[in-house]
Structures are given as structure tokens and as C-alpha cells.
Amino acid sequence: MSKDTDLLEVDDLWVKFPTRTETFEAVRGISFRLGRERLGIVGESGSGKSMTGRAILRLIRKPGIVTANRISLHGQDLMKLTEKQMRNVRGKQISMVMQDPKFSLNPVMTIGDQIVEAYRLHARATRSEAHAKALEMLEAVSIRDPERVFRAYPHEMSGGMGQRIMIAMMLIPDPEILIADEPTSALDVSVQTQVLSIMDRLVQERGMGLIFISHDLNLVSAFCDRVLIMYAGRIVETCRADRLHEAKHPYTRGLLNSLPRLEEPRERLDVLKRDPAWREAASVVDDQ
Amino acid sequence: MTGLSAKHLNVWFGSGRDRVLAVDDVSFSVASGASFGLVGESGSGKSTILRALTGLAPNWSGEMMVGNEVLQGQRSSAFYKQVQMVFQDPYASLHPRHTVDQMLSETLYLHGVGEIDTHVEKLLDDVGLGNAFRFRYPHQLSGGQRQRVAIARALAPEPEILLLDEPTSALDVSVQAEILNLLTDLRSEHSLTYVMVSHDLAVVGHMCEEIAVMQNGKIVEIMPVADMRSMQAKHDYTQHLLKSSQGYERREFNG
């Protein structure tokens, strides 16, 4: 992929949390690029995948420390921006969808008001324009009765609807990059498929870059174009998503083998044996 | 030995206008030593069946049997010696201010087991934790270790039936494999009967011999695992679930 199509370039990103006795390193020097594609980041809990997503948006709170040579968005270094400039990036250029709609929507505000608020933060629009735009977005995420949903409160929505509303809110300012942190983990399989296909359609239609953070290897392999596999804060392997099942690193192999499969029944599942060397090995540089 | 069964089981919540029928005329039976799976979406009533069996759902009608005993009203302590439950979230089901030792000792004491000390050691051994974990608090344990403690607690009264409510859905895949292996081993060592609820078809397919598929409180289909593996579902909804579980199907959108 040539340089000018790169939306985002991350170079040597570290996230550290100082504690009383030592400094905990959640992300340890990772580098990757994102083009107009679906990039998956997989790993177990604690592997640093969510922290990577948050660090890009500079959402790590103190006492956490984020350092990087560069996080560049179209050549603009996000690390050098002031907090005020950063606020223009968040939402407008890079958006984020979190795992659980229950904790990400304001419970005492109607859904319509929340979407309108998000829109008017980024665009100069009258209330009626914002209203029309909100309805249009709700329709874009396949919500059947947008007028009713507009007036409803979050608790009146199911999990799948809530997640679609979150996606609608994130997409209103027309970001170039969407970071989705386990967007479907809280959803049932059948609803999951719906939400994914909505995201897929929007990514393809708008030519967005998508960072899809998940622990579900099968899902990432089917949904994304490229995958980064993280272990203990480092990238241990990168590969094409459809080739994930041919992955070579023992950690990736271990994860794949520990999954029960319907089509190949086994007496016992393989248990992942962790090699301390994985932790020490340098991060793989993503050069595709 | 005991199996368990339910006939025309209804469970509802609320009353009058707000009455919700969570389980609607469900019948199934599980032979002793078998492993039975319940799958379905959230809200399909699969966990409610387990809760009704253990006596945690007060409003129900129909007939439930464990062994030869028909269940009614308050469960006896003898019932809980036979049937124990493992809950979904190991972060929520352990007392945060009790050590592993306190939790297990109390359970053993309540079930009138003597020689608590040796029993606690044996339980921890059984679930692969060992004595080093005995005086730890839940916050000092990982998710997988917590679920092991929850399983040890369920095993304390030496039950014959374990009700497993999504025992691995809060865990990573690598840890899930360890817990599922542990459950397989325990089942053969203690000749346990399992009723397992999960939304993950692959997990249920791995653990169970017979699987009931639920939708809107009803069982739409009960099938042996071999049929599920060969994708021979009769009901449309089961077909749909099997298809969705195979991952995302890529499509090209031209906008």
C-alpha cells in the first residue's frame, strides 16, 4: 500500500501506568498503518488492544502515560495537538464505538437529543436540520421506526438497537476512521450479524478506515481485511484476515486451537501454553 | 442415580398486564449422567429454566422432577445436595470480602460435611487450584481462577447434577478451554449430570450430547449433537442460529 493512501500511521506507541512499585506497560512499542480497510486487532483481555484504540484518540487518563514517535493522521501528528485541537479530531475525524451501549448512552436523555447534541457539536446546524440528519442516520443503521426511536430513552431499546444507535451517533460527523472496541461482544449472534453488516456497508460506502478490536478470532477472520495479533502489549503477528487460520506464531496457533469447533469434535481442547519468550520478543513491524 | 425432567413448565414474571411468560410450555428430560445443552438468544428463557429448577424463580407451573422427587415450593437441603449451580459471571458470584477458604468452609458447614479442613484441600485440588489459593480473596484471582472457585463451591456438597449457566462466556478463549476441560474431567470423575446454558453453539456442541434450541420461551427443537454438527436442523430458527454462528459472510456494497 502506498503512503498517500494511509489514513493513520502509528509509530512506536507505548502506554504506561506507574504504580507504587513499578511501571505497568500496557502497550509496549507497537507500530502499524491503517489504510481504507478493515483492520482487526485481536488478543486476550489484558493484551493491550483496547488501550491501543484509546491511545490513538488520546483518551488515556492520568496517571496513564502515552508516548509515541508519531501518531499521524494525514501527516498531522496527533501527539503534538493541544487538548482543544484534539477535541476537533475526536468524532469528526476519528470516532469510537464502545462495547456496551448500556454504559455509553446517557440514560436520562432521549436518543434523539443525544444524536442532535453530538451532531451540533461538530456542525453548525439548526435544530431542525439536526433533527432531519438524526432521522436520516437512524434510517442508515436500519432502524425501522426512526421517529419513535428518536423520542425513546436508552432503556427502551434492546442491546442490538442500542449498539446501532451508537454507530449512528458516531457516523453523523462523517469520520474518516472508526475505532470499534468489541462492538458486538454484548450482542446475540443473529443481532451481531446485522450490526456487522451495517458497519461493513458504511465502511465500504464511505471509504472509511475501520479498526475493529475483538477477542473473537473467527469473527475477525471473516469480517476484516487484515489482522494484528497482540500479546502482552506487543504485536506478535500480522496477517491477512482470511489467512488467519494459517497463522504461524505459536500464540495465535494456541488461541485458534483452544476454540471448540462444531465440525471437528474433540475429547479435550488444547490449552494454550505460554512461552515467556513471547513477552520479550520485539513487536512485529506492520509493513503491509 | 438421578436424572431430571420438566413437563409443561411455564415460568412467568410480574402479574396482570405486566405478566411476562418467560418459559412457555417446555418439556424435556435429561438422563442420569447425560449432558444436556440449552441454546438460544438472550431473553429466550434458557437461564430462567435453570433458575426455576433451583427454586430461584417463584412463579411457575407444570411439573419438574429430580430423580423420583417432584419439586414443589421451597427446596429442601437434600435437594441442594443433589443439584448445584454455577453462574455466568465469576466476578459477581463470589463474595468480595470472603477468602476462598471461608467460602468453601461455609458451604461445607451448611451442608453438614465433617472434616472441613481436608475437604477444602481436596476441593481445591479437584479444580486444579491447589492449597496456595486457599487464603486469597476474589480480587487476587483471575477470571478463570474465580470460575474454578465457583465450581469448587458447587462441588462441595458432592452433587449429582450441575446446572451451568454460561460458565465461560465472561472468559477469554484460552481460559475457556481450560474450564471446559476441567468440566469434562470432573464429569467423568464424579459421574455428574450437566445441564448447560450457552449462547455459543460451539461450546454446547463440545460439551453436550443433546441440545435444545429455544426461542421466545419455547423449545423449538431438541436434537442430538451429531445432527447439529452435520447442520441437519429441522427448524428454521435453528438453521438461522447455525448459520450466524459460522461467522460473518462478506458482501460487497457499492454505494
Side-chain angles (χ1 to χ4, degrees), chain B residues 167-197:
Chain B
T168 59
S169 66
L171 307 173
D172 274 320
V173 284
S174 50
V175 183
Q176 165 172 294
E178 291 171 23
I179 297 290
L180 292 181
N181 282 343
L182 171 69
L183 288 170
T184 311
D185 293 345
L186 289 171
R187 187 172 154 220
S188 58
E189 279 164 33
H190 301 257
S191 47
L192 294 164
T193 308
Y194 284 168
V195 181
M196 185 170 186
V197 161

PDB file of all heavy atoms in Angstrom, chain B residues 167-197:
ATOM      1  N   PRO B 167     -21.059 -20.829  31.793  1.00  0.00           N
ATOM      2  CA  PRO B 167     -19.902 -20.797  32.697  1.00  0.00           C
ATOM      3  C   PRO B 167     -18.654 -20.163  32.103  1.00  0.00           C
ATOM      4  O   PRO B 167     -17.750 -19.809  32.841  1.00  0.00           O
ATOM      5  CB  PRO B 167     -19.661 -22.272  33.015  1.00  0.00           C
ATOM      6  CG  PRO B 167     -20.248 -22.996  31.861  1.00  0.00           C
ATOM      7  CD  PRO B 167     -21.410 -22.201  31.407  1.00  0.00           C
ATOM      8  N   THR B 168     -18.575 -20.004  30.786  1.00  0.00           N
ATOM      9  CA  THR B 168     -17.330 -19.475  30.226  1.00  0.00           C
ATOM     10  C   THR B 168     -17.514 -18.216  29.394  1.00  0.00           C
ATOM     11  O   THR B 168     -16.565 -17.747  28.786  1.00  0.00           O
ATOM     12  CB  THR B 168     -16.649 -20.525  29.318  1.00  0.00           C
ATOM     13  OG1 THR B 168     -17.548 -20.876  28.272  1.00  0.00           O
ATOM     14  CG2 THR B 168     -16.283 -21.761  30.097  1.00  0.00           C
ATOM     15  N   SER B 169     -18.729 -17.652  29.388  1.00  0.00           N
ATOM     16  CA  SER B 169     -18.921 -16.535  28.460  1.00  0.00           C
ATOM     17  C   SER B 169     -18.198 -15.273  28.905  1.00  0.00           C
ATOM     18  O   SER B 169     -17.977 -14.383  28.108  1.00  0.00           O
ATOM     19  CB  SER B 169     -20.405 -16.253  28.260  1.00  0.00           C
ATOM     20  OG  SER B 169     -20.959 -15.801  29.455  1.00  0.00           O
ATOM     21  N   ALA B 170     -17.793 -15.196  30.185  1.00  0.00           N
ATOM     22  CA  ALA B 170     -17.070 -13.998  30.625  1.00  0.00           C
ATOM     23  C   ALA B 170     -15.558 -14.184  30.513  1.00  0.00           C
ATOM     24  O   ALA B 170     -14.805 -13.341  30.962  1.00  0.00           O
ATOM     25  CB  ALA B 170     -17.456 -13.654  32.062  1.00  0.00           C
ATOM     26  N   LEU B 171     -15.117 -15.306  29.919  1.00  0.00           N
ATOM     27  CA  LEU B 171     -13.684 -15.620  29.937  1.00  0.00           C
ATOM     28  C   LEU B 171     -13.082 -15.590  28.537  1.00  0.00           C
ATOM     29  O   LEU B 171     -13.773 -15.768  27.542  1.00  0.00           O
ATOM     30  CB  LEU B 171     -13.493 -17.015  30.535  1.00  0.00           C
ATOM     31  CG  LEU B 171     -14.136 -17.258  31.904  1.00  0.00           C
ATOM     32  CD1 LEU B 171     -14.026 -18.709  32.297  1.00  0.00           C
ATOM     33  CD2 LEU B 171     -13.515 -16.376  32.959  1.00  0.00           C
ATOM     34  N   ASP B 172     -11.753 -15.417  28.487  1.00  0.00           N
ATOM     35  CA  ASP B 172     -11.034 -15.484  27.212  1.00  0.00           C
ATOM     36  C   ASP B 172     -11.063 -16.901  26.648  1.00  0.00           C
ATOM     37  O   ASP B 172     -11.192 -17.861  27.401  1.00  0.00           O
ATOM     38  CB  ASP B 172      -9.561 -15.120  27.443  1.00  0.00           C
ATOM     39  CG  ASP B 172      -9.354 -13.632  27.388  1.00  0.00           C
ATOM     40  OD1 ASP B 172      -9.981 -12.997  26.530  1.00  0.00           O
ATOM     41  OD2 ASP B 172      -8.584 -13.118  28.195  1.00  0.00           O
ATOM     42  N   VAL B 173     -10.863 -17.026  25.331  1.00  0.00           N
ATOM     43  CA  VAL B 173     -10.943 -18.361  24.715  1.00  0.00           C
ATOM     44  C   VAL B 173      -9.937 -19.344  25.306  1.00  0.00           C
ATOM     45  O   VAL B 173     -10.236 -20.527  25.483  1.00  0.00           O
ATOM     46  CB  VAL B 173     -10.771 -18.326  23.181  1.00  0.00           C
ATOM     47  CG1 VAL B 173     -12.023 -17.839  22.534  1.00  0.00           C
ATOM     48  CG2 VAL B 173      -9.576 -17.530  22.755  1.00  0.00           C
ATOM     49  N   SER B 174      -8.722 -18.849  25.626  1.00  0.00           N
ATOM     50  CA  SER B 174      -7.715 -19.762  26.155  1.00  0.00           C
ATOM     51  C   SER B 174      -8.137 -20.278  27.533  1.00  0.00           C
ATOM     52  O   SER B 174      -7.931 -21.439  27.867  1.00  0.00           O
ATOM     53  CB  SER B 174      -6.372 -19.051  26.240  1.00  0.00           C
ATOM     54  OG  SER B 174      -6.526 -17.817  26.892  1.00  0.00           O
ATOM     55  N   VAL B 175      -8.727 -19.378  28.334  1.00  0.00           N
ATOM     56  CA  VAL B 175      -9.180 -19.766  29.667  1.00  0.00           C
ATOM     57  C   VAL B 175     -10.442 -20.618  29.553  1.00  0.00           C
ATOM     58  O   VAL B 175     -10.637 -21.575  30.297  1.00  0.00           O
ATOM     59  CB  VAL B 175      -9.453 -18.507  30.522  1.00  0.00           C
ATOM     60  CG1 VAL B 175      -9.846 -18.897  31.927  1.00  0.00           C
ATOM     61  CG2 VAL B 175      -8.253 -17.601  30.529  1.00  0.00           C
ATOM     62  N   GLN B 176     -11.274 -20.281  28.582  1.00  0.00           N
ATOM     63  CA  GLN B 176     -12.474 -21.072  28.337  1.00  0.00           C
ATOM     64  C   GLN B 176     -12.108 -22.529  28.088  1.00  0.00           C
ATOM     65  O   GLN B 176     -12.747 -23.439  28.630  1.00  0.00           O
ATOM     66  CB  GLN B 176     -13.218 -20.517  27.123  1.00  0.00           C
ATOM     67  CG  GLN B 176     -14.267 -21.453  26.564  1.00  0.00           C
ATOM     68  CD  GLN B 176     -15.098 -20.794  25.484  1.00  0.00           C
ATOM     69  OE1 GLN B 176     -15.834 -19.861  25.754  1.00  0.00           O
ATOM     70  NE2 GLN B 176     -14.979 -21.263  24.276  1.00  0.00           N
ATOM     71  N   ALA B 177     -11.044 -22.765  27.302  1.00  0.00           N
ATOM     72  CA  ALA B 177     -10.626 -24.135  27.015  1.00  0.00           C
ATOM     73  C   ALA B 177     -10.257 -24.852  28.305  1.00  0.00           C
ATOM     74  O   ALA B 177     -10.619 -26.015  28.507  1.00  0.00           O
ATOM     75  CB  ALA B 177      -9.441 -24.123  26.049  1.00  0.00           C
ATOM     76  N   GLU B 178      -9.545 -24.151  29.217  1.00  0.00           N
ATOM     77  CA  GLU B 178      -9.154 -24.785  30.487  1.00  0.00           C
ATOM     78  C   GLU B 178     -10.380 -25.170  31.301  1.00  0.00           C
ATOM     79  O   GLU B 178     -10.457 -26.269  31.848  1.00  0.00           O
ATOM     80  CB  GLU B 178      -8.293 -23.823  31.317  1.00  0.00           C
ATOM     81  CG  GLU B 178      -6.922 -23.574  30.732  1.00  0.00           C
ATOM     82  CD  GLU B 178      -6.189 -22.462  31.460  1.00  0.00           C
ATOM     83  OE1 GLU B 178      -6.521 -22.193  32.632  1.00  0.00           O
ATOM     84  OE2 GLU B 178      -5.280 -21.857  30.863  1.00  0.00           O
ATOM     85  N   ILE B 179     -11.345 -24.250  31.384  1.00  0.00           N
ATOM     86  CA  ILE B 179     -12.531 -24.513  32.210  1.00  0.00           C
ATOM     87  C   ILE B 179     -13.369 -25.631  31.596  1.00  0.00           C
ATOM     88  O   ILE B 179     -13.861 -26.510  32.306  1.00  0.00           O
ATOM     89  CB  ILE B 179     -13.372 -23.219  32.373  1.00  0.00           C
ATOM     90  CG1 ILE B 179     -12.571 -22.143  33.120  1.00  0.00           C
ATOM     91  CG2 ILE B 179     -14.687 -23.498  33.098  1.00  0.00           C
ATOM     92  CD1 ILE B 179     -12.333 -22.420  34.579  1.00  0.00           C
ATOM     93  N   LEU B 180     -13.516 -25.620  30.275  1.00  0.00           N
ATOM     94  CA  LEU B 180     -14.299 -26.679  29.634  1.00  0.00           C
ATOM     95  C   LEU B 180     -13.632 -28.038  29.837  1.00  0.00           C
ATOM     96  O   LEU B 180     -14.296 -29.040  30.106  1.00  0.00           O
ATOM     97  CB  LEU B 180     -14.486 -26.392  28.142  1.00  0.00           C
ATOM     98  CG  LEU B 180     -15.363 -25.187  27.794  1.00  0.00           C
ATOM     99  CD1 LEU B 180     -15.495 -25.033  26.290  1.00  0.00           C
ATOM    100  CD2 LEU B 180     -16.739 -25.288  28.418  1.00  0.00           C
ATOM    101  N   ASN B 181     -12.283 -28.075  29.743  1.00  0.00           N
ATOM    102  CA  ASN B 181     -11.578 -29.333  30.007  1.00  0.00           C
ATOM    103  C   ASN B 181     -11.801 -29.790  31.444  1.00  0.00           C
ATOM    104  O   ASN B 181     -12.026 -30.971  31.698  1.00  0.00           O
ATOM    105  CB  ASN B 181     -10.079 -29.168  29.760  1.00  0.00           C
ATOM    106  CG  ASN B 181      -9.744 -29.210  28.282  1.00  0.00           C
ATOM    107  OD1 ASN B 181     -10.550 -29.660  27.483  1.00  0.00           O
ATOM    108  ND2 ASN B 181      -8.582 -28.719  27.929  1.00  0.00           N
ATOM    109  N   LEU B 182     -11.739 -28.810  32.368  1.00  0.00           N
ATOM    110  CA  LEU B 182     -11.961 -29.135  33.784  1.00  0.00           C
ATOM    111  C   LEU B 182     -13.348 -29.742  33.973  1.00  0.00           C
ATOM    112  O   LEU B 182     -13.516 -30.760  34.655  1.00  0.00           O
ATOM    113  CB  LEU B 182     -11.812 -27.862  34.629  1.00  0.00           C
ATOM    114  CG  LEU B 182     -12.214 -27.979  36.097  1.00  0.00           C
ATOM    115  CD1 LEU B 182     -11.233 -28.858  36.847  1.00  0.00           C
ATOM    116  CD2 LEU B 182     -12.288 -26.617  36.761  1.00  0.00           C
ATOM    117  N   LEU B 183     -14.346 -29.130  33.340  1.00  0.00           N
ATOM    118  CA  LEU B 183     -15.714 -29.632  33.481  1.00  0.00           C
ATOM    119  C   LEU B 183     -15.846 -31.034  32.890  1.00  0.00           C
ATOM    120  O   LEU B 183     -16.535 -31.887  33.458  1.00  0.00           O
ATOM    121  CB  LEU B 183     -16.704 -28.668  32.812  1.00  0.00           C
ATOM    122  CG  LEU B 183     -16.941 -27.346  33.541  1.00  0.00           C
ATOM    123  CD1 LEU B 183     -17.733 -26.381  32.681  1.00  0.00           C
ATOM    124  CD2 LEU B 183     -17.652 -27.564  34.864  1.00  0.00           C
ATOM    125  N   THR B 184     -15.164 -31.272  31.755  1.00  0.00           N
ATOM    126  CA  THR B 184     -15.197 -32.611  31.165  1.00  0.00           C
ATOM    127  C   THR B 184     -14.590 -33.638  32.123  1.00  0.00           C
ATOM    128  O   THR B 184     -15.154 -34.711  32.339  1.00  0.00           O
ATOM    129  CB  THR B 184     -14.389 -32.617  29.847  1.00  0.00           C
ATOM    130  OG1 THR B 184     -14.816 -31.515  29.055  1.00  0.00           O
ATOM    131  CG2 THR B 184     -14.600 -33.896  29.069  1.00  0.00           C
ATOM    132  N   ASP B 185     -13.426 -33.274  32.718  1.00  0.00           N
ATOM    133  CA  ASP B 185     -12.761 -34.199  33.649  1.00  0.00           C
ATOM    134  C   ASP B 185     -13.629 -34.472  34.868  1.00  0.00           C
ATOM    135  O   ASP B 185     -13.783 -35.615  35.290  1.00  0.00           O
ATOM    136  CB  ASP B 185     -11.429 -33.604  34.121  1.00  0.00           C
ATOM    137  CG  ASP B 185     -10.438 -33.505  32.996  1.00  0.00           C
ATOM    138  OD1 ASP B 185     -10.678 -34.143  31.952  1.00  0.00           O
ATOM    139  OD2 ASP B 185      -9.436 -32.781  33.147  1.00  0.00           O
ATOM    140  N   LEU B 186     -14.192 -33.396  35.435  1.00  0.00           N
ATOM    141  CA  LEU B 186     -14.995 -33.554  36.649  1.00  0.00           C
ATOM    142  C   LEU B 186     -16.201 -34.446  36.382  1.00  0.00           C
ATOM    143  O   LEU B 186     -16.591 -35.247  37.210  1.00  0.00           O
ATOM    144  CB  LEU B 186     -15.466 -32.189  37.163  1.00  0.00           C
ATOM    145  CG  LEU B 186     -14.378 -31.310  37.758  1.00  0.00           C
ATOM    146  CD1 LEU B 186     -14.932 -29.922  38.032  1.00  0.00           C
ATOM    147  CD2 LEU B 186     -13.839 -31.921  39.046  1.00  0.00           C
ATOM    148  N   ARG B 187     -16.754 -34.288  35.186  1.00  0.00           N
ATOM    149  CA  ARG B 187     -17.932 -35.078  34.868  1.00  0.00           C
ATOM    150  C   ARG B 187     -17.593 -36.563  34.857  1.00  0.00           C
ATOM    151  O   ARG B 187     -18.343 -37.384  35.379  1.00  0.00           O
ATOM    152  CB  ARG B 187     -18.479 -34.656  33.503  1.00  0.00           C
ATOM    153  CG  ARG B 187     -19.785 -35.314  33.198  1.00  0.00           C
ATOM    154  CD  ARG B 187     -20.393 -34.734  31.941  1.00  0.00           C
ATOM    155  NE  ARG B 187     -21.261 -35.736  31.352  1.00  0.00           N
ATOM    156  CZ  ARG B 187     -21.359 -35.970  30.063  1.00  0.00           C
ATOM    157  NH1 ARG B 187     -20.659 -35.261  29.209  1.00  0.00           N
ATOM    158  NH2 ARG B 187     -22.162 -36.894  29.615  1.00  0.00           N
ATOM    159  N   SER B 188     -16.431 -36.909  34.282  1.00  0.00           N
ATOM    160  CA  SER B 188     -16.110 -38.335  34.246  1.00  0.00           C
ATOM    161  C   SER B 188     -15.656 -38.841  35.616  1.00  0.00           C
ATOM    162  O   SER B 188     -15.943 -39.966  35.985  1.00  0.00           O
ATOM    163  CB  SER B 188     -15.072 -38.625  33.168  1.00  0.00           C
ATOM    164  OG  SER B 188     -13.916 -37.871  33.395  1.00  0.00           O
ATOM    165  N   GLU B 189     -14.955 -37.977  36.402  1.00  0.00           N
ATOM    166  CA  GLU B 189     -14.500 -38.419  37.725  1.00  0.00           C
ATOM    167  C   GLU B 189     -15.658 -38.621  38.702  1.00  0.00           C
ATOM    168  O   GLU B 189     -15.687 -39.574  39.457  1.00  0.00           O
ATOM    169  CB  GLU B 189     -13.545 -37.380  38.334  1.00  0.00           C
ATOM    170  CG  GLU B 189     -12.130 -37.487  37.829  1.00  0.00           C
ATOM    171  CD  GLU B 189     -11.352 -36.212  38.152  1.00  0.00           C
ATOM    172  OE1 GLU B 189     -11.628 -35.593  39.198  1.00  0.00           O
ATOM    173  OE2 GLU B 189     -10.491 -35.835  37.335  1.00  0.00           O
ATOM    174  N   HIS B 190     -16.591 -37.661  38.688  1.00  0.00           N
ATOM    175  CA  HIS B 190     -17.677 -37.704  39.672  1.00  0.00           C
ATOM    176  C   HIS B 190     -18.985 -38.205  39.079  1.00  0.00           C
ATOM    177  O   HIS B 190     -20.015 -38.110  39.728  1.00  0.00           O
ATOM    178  CB  HIS B 190     -17.899 -36.309  40.275  1.00  0.00           C
ATOM    179  CG  HIS B 190     -16.696 -35.742  40.968  1.00  0.00           C
ATOM    180  ND1 HIS B 190     -16.560 -35.722  42.329  1.00  0.00           N
ATOM    181  CD2 HIS B 190     -15.570 -35.184  40.471  1.00  0.00           C
ATOM    182  CE1 HIS B 190     -15.403 -35.184  42.655  1.00  0.00           C
ATOM    183  NE2 HIS B 190     -14.783 -34.833  41.544  1.00  0.00           N
ATOM    184  N   SER B 191     -18.958 -38.693  37.868  1.00  0.00           N
ATOM    185  CA  SER B 191     -20.153 -39.088  37.105  1.00  0.00           C
ATOM    186  C   SER B 191     -21.317 -38.120  37.316  1.00  0.00           C
ATOM    187  O   SER B 191     -22.360 -38.473  37.845  1.00  0.00           O
ATOM    188  CB  SER B 191     -20.568 -40.532  37.397  1.00  0.00           C
ATOM    189  OG  SER B 191     -20.573 -40.779  38.764  1.00  0.00           O
ATOM    190  N   LEU B 192     -21.076 -36.884  36.889  1.00  0.00           N
ATOM    191  CA  LEU B 192     -22.065 -35.826  37.067  1.00  0.00           C
ATOM    192  C   LEU B 192     -23.018 -35.758  35.880  1.00  0.00           C
ATOM    193  O   LEU B 192     -22.706 -36.208  34.782  1.00  0.00           O
ATOM    194  CB  LEU B 192     -21.359 -34.475  37.183  1.00  0.00           C
ATOM    195  CG  LEU B 192     -20.475 -34.263  38.403  1.00  0.00           C
ATOM    196  CD1 LEU B 192     -19.568 -33.071  38.184  1.00  0.00           C
ATOM    197  CD2 LEU B 192     -21.334 -34.054  39.635  1.00  0.00           C
ATOM    198  N   THR B 193     -24.176 -35.175  36.120  1.00  0.00           N
ATOM    199  CA  THR B 193     -25.121 -34.845  35.064  1.00  0.00           C
ATOM    200  C   THR B 193     -25.054 -33.338  34.847  1.00  0.00           C
ATOM    201  O   THR B 193     -25.079 -32.583  35.815  1.00  0.00           O
ATOM    202  CB  THR B 193     -26.552 -35.230  35.496  1.00  0.00           C
ATOM    203  OG1 THR B 193     -26.546 -36.577  35.926  1.00  0.00           O
ATOM    204  CG2 THR B 193     -27.535 -35.047  34.370  1.00  0.00           C
ATOM    205  N   TYR B 194     -24.937 -32.907  33.611  1.00  0.00           N
ATOM    206  CA  TYR B 194     -24.845 -31.473  33.338  1.00  0.00           C
ATOM    207  C   TYR B 194     -26.074 -30.964  32.600  1.00  0.00           C
ATOM    208  O   TYR B 194     -26.561 -31.612  31.664  1.00  0.00           O
ATOM    209  CB  TYR B 194     -23.641 -31.160  32.441  1.00  0.00           C
ATOM    210  CG  TYR B 194     -22.295 -31.183  33.120  1.00  0.00           C
ATOM    211  CD1 TYR B 194     -21.125 -31.170  32.373  1.00  0.00           C
ATOM    212  CD2 TYR B 194     -22.193 -31.193  34.508  1.00  0.00           C
ATOM    213  CE1 TYR B 194     -19.884 -31.186  32.981  1.00  0.00           C
ATOM    214  CE2 TYR B 194     -20.955 -31.206  35.120  1.00  0.00           C
ATOM    215  CZ  TYR B 194     -19.804 -31.207  34.357  1.00  0.00           C
ATOM    216  OH  TYR B 194     -18.576 -31.218  34.950  1.00  0.00           O
ATOM    217  N   VAL B 195     -26.543 -29.804  33.003  1.00  0.00           N
ATOM    218  CA  VAL B 195     -27.460 -29.034  32.158  1.00  0.00           C
ATOM    219  C   VAL B 195     -26.749 -27.715  31.915  1.00  0.00           C
ATOM    220  O   VAL B 195     -26.446 -26.988  32.857  1.00  0.00           O
ATOM    221  CB  VAL B 195     -28.825 -28.779  32.829  1.00  0.00           C
ATOM    222  CG1 VAL B 195     -29.733 -27.999  31.891  1.00  0.00           C
ATOM    223  CG2 VAL B 195     -29.475 -30.089  33.211  1.00  0.00           C
ATOM    224  N   MET B 196     -26.431 -27.423  30.666  1.00  0.00           N
ATOM    225  CA  MET B 196     -25.596 -26.280  30.367  1.00  0.00           C
ATOM    226  C   MET B 196     -26.323 -25.291  29.459  1.00  0.00           C
ATOM    227  O   MET B 196     -26.867 -25.676  28.437  1.00  0.00           O
ATOM    228  CB  MET B 196     -24.335 -26.771  29.677  1.00  0.00           C
ATOM    229  CG  MET B 196     -23.352 -25.685  29.421  1.00  0.00           C
ATOM    230  SD  MET B 196     -21.833 -26.455  28.881  1.00  0.00           S
ATOM    231  CE  MET B 196     -20.768 -25.057  28.800  1.00  0.00           C
ATOM    232  N   VAL B 197     -26.290 -24.046  29.890  1.00  0.00           N
ATOM    233  CA  VAL B 197     -26.888 -22.987  29.091  1.00  0.00           C
ATOM    234  C   VAL B 197     -25.775 -22.207  28.429  1.00  0.00           C
ATOM    235  O   VAL B 197     -24.775 -21.889  29.068  1.00  0.00           O
ATOM    236  CB  VAL B 197     -27.706 -22.044  30.005  1.00  0.00           C
ATOM    237  CG1 VAL B 197     -27.956 -20.721  29.336  1.00  0.00           C
ATOM    238  CG2 VAL B 197     -29.013 -22.699  30.388  1.00  0.00           C
TER     239      VAL B 197
END
